[in-house]
């Protein structure tokens, strides 16, 4: 109880960590990406981040480069939102990691499109895990946000500009900076996918693909 009270007193409010697009404040770009409105918001983003991030980190195989990618996604999605706000005259604050998560999804889909992601699907009576290719999931999530953006704009309460710009930026980072890495891991990745399929113990490529040690 005392610990909870101490955290409540010391920790800044979510409003203090928000990014207001008209401010162009780089510190708030960073703080807003790691802060969330509530537990549901945090857990939802972390689930998607965990689904794609571990295998992507292994594929990049360079911790500093991987951290720089996450930082670039944070800044670019925030700048994209500020540019949108400048055009629309809207200054709605932003909070959450979802722009970076969408960037990770876009980048993973580019570097390892055939990597399988364990996906829990509940459809009427069919409740089980399915292993779906990264490019299919990326197309679904990013494509859905693009449709929402054109149909509802920013009136959904979700920062769709950050979502879409994150997905596009992740793909572009892969195309311009990590194409050689994509080629380098292709054979190992294909082998891991085939092994998982033949052994019928596919727990997701994050488990079967170990990459090459640097």
């Amino acid at each position: 109880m005392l610990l909870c009270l101490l955290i409540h007193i010391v920790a800044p409010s979510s409003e203090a960590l928000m990014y207001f697009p008209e401010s162009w404040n780089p510190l708030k770009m960073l703080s807003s990406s790691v802060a969330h409105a509530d537990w549901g918001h945090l857990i939802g983003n972390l689930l998607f981040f965990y689904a794609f991030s571990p295998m992507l980190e292994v594929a990049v195989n360079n911790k500093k480069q991987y951290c720089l990618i996450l930082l670039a996604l944070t800044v670019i999605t925030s700048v994209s939102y500020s540019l949108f706000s400048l055009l629309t005259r809207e200054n709605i604050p932003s909070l959450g990691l979802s722009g970076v998560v969408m960037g990770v999804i876009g980048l993973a889909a580019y570097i390892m499109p055939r990597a399988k992601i364990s996906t829990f699907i509940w459809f009427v009576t069919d409740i089980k895990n399915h292993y779906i290719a990264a490019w299919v999931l990326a197309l679904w999530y990013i494509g859905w946000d693009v449709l929402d953006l054109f149909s509802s704009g920013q009136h959904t309460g979700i920062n769709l500009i950050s979502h879409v710009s994150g997905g596009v930026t992740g793909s572009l980072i892969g195309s311009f900076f990590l194409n050689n890495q994509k080629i380098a891991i292709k054979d190992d990745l294909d082998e891991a996918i085939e092994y998982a399929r033949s052994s019928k113990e596919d727990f997701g490529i994050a488990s079967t693909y170990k990459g090459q040690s640097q």
Side-chain angles (χ1 to χ4, degrees), residues 120-152:
F120 180 76
I121 297 179
W122 182 1
F123 183 71
V124 190
T125 58
D126 183 20
I127 306 174
K128 61 182 179 181
N129 280 341
H130 296 269
Y131 294 96
I132 302 176
W135 75 267
V136 174
L137 290 177
L139 184 63
W140 171 263
Y141 290 121
I142 298 173
W144 192 270
D145 281 335
V146 170
L147 289 176
D148 277 349
L149 184 59
F150 279 101
S151 62
S152 305

Side-chain angles (χ1 to χ4, degrees), residues 1-212:
M1 181 66 181
L2 181 60
L3 178 60
C4 292
L5 181 60
L6 182 61
I7 292 174
H8 179 73
I9 294 173
V10 174
S13 66
S14 60
E15 184 175 351
L17 300 173
M18 288 179 175
Y19 175 64
F20 288 83
E22 69 176 8
S23 71
W24 301 82
N25 186 328
L27 293 179
K28 291 297 180 69
M29 291 179 184
L30 298 176
S31 67
S32 65
S33 68
V34 296
H36 291 76
D38 52 44
W39 281 106
H41 188 202
L42 173 63
I43 293 171
N45 275 336
L46 289 182
L47 283 174
F48 280 92
F49 188 74
Y50 178 75
F52 287 86
S53 184
M55 67 175 185
L56 182 59
E57 185 177 358
V58 171
V60 172
N61 199 26
N62 185 310
K63 291 182 179 179
K64 291 182 179 178
Q65 188 178 38
Y66 184 68
C67 289
L68 285 175
I69 289 171
L70 297 182
L71 180 61
L73 288 170
T74 300
V75 173
I76 292 173
T77 53
S78 296
V79 169
S80 298
Y81 186 44
S82 288
L83 291 173
F84 174 82
S85 177
L86 194 63
L87 294 173
T88 60
R89 304 295 182 182
E90 295 180 1
N91 189 37
I92 303 172
S94 179
L95 196 67
L97 190 67
S98 53
V100 175
V101 173
M102 294 302 289
V104 167
I105 291 175
L107 180 56
Y110 177 81
I111 293 182
M112 45 183 69
R114 294 180 59 235
K116 300 297 179 66
I117 309 295
S118 177
T119 308
F120 180 76
I121 297 179
W122 182 1
F123 183 71
V124 190
T125 58
D126 183 20
I127 306 174
K128 61 182 179 181
N129 280 341
H130 296 269
Y131 294 96
I132 302 176
W135 75 267
V136 174
L137 290 177
L139 184 63
W140 171 263
Y141 290 121
I142 298 173
W144 192 270
D145 281 335
V146 170
L147 289 176
D148 277 349
L149 184 59
F150 279 101
S151 62
S152 305
Q154 288 287 97
H155 303 294
T156 60
I158 300 173
N159 190 344
L160 296 173
I161 295 296
S162 289
H163 284 205
V164 174
S165 63
V168 172
T169 300
S171 300
L172 291 177
I173 287 175
S175 177
F176 283 99
F177 300 106
L178 296 173
N179 198 49
N180 289 338
Q181 186 66 8
K182 176 181 179 179
I183 296 171
I185 68 172
K186 183 180 184 301
D187 290 342
D188 285 343
L189 187 61
D190 288 343
E191 183 180 340
I193 292 171
E194 186 56 37
Y195 172 78
R197 180 181 301 148
S198 63
S199 65
K200 297 181 181 180
E201 294 178 357
D202 189 358
F203 295 105
I205 204 64
S207 300
T208 55
Y209 174 58
K210 302 301 182 183
Q212 298 175 346

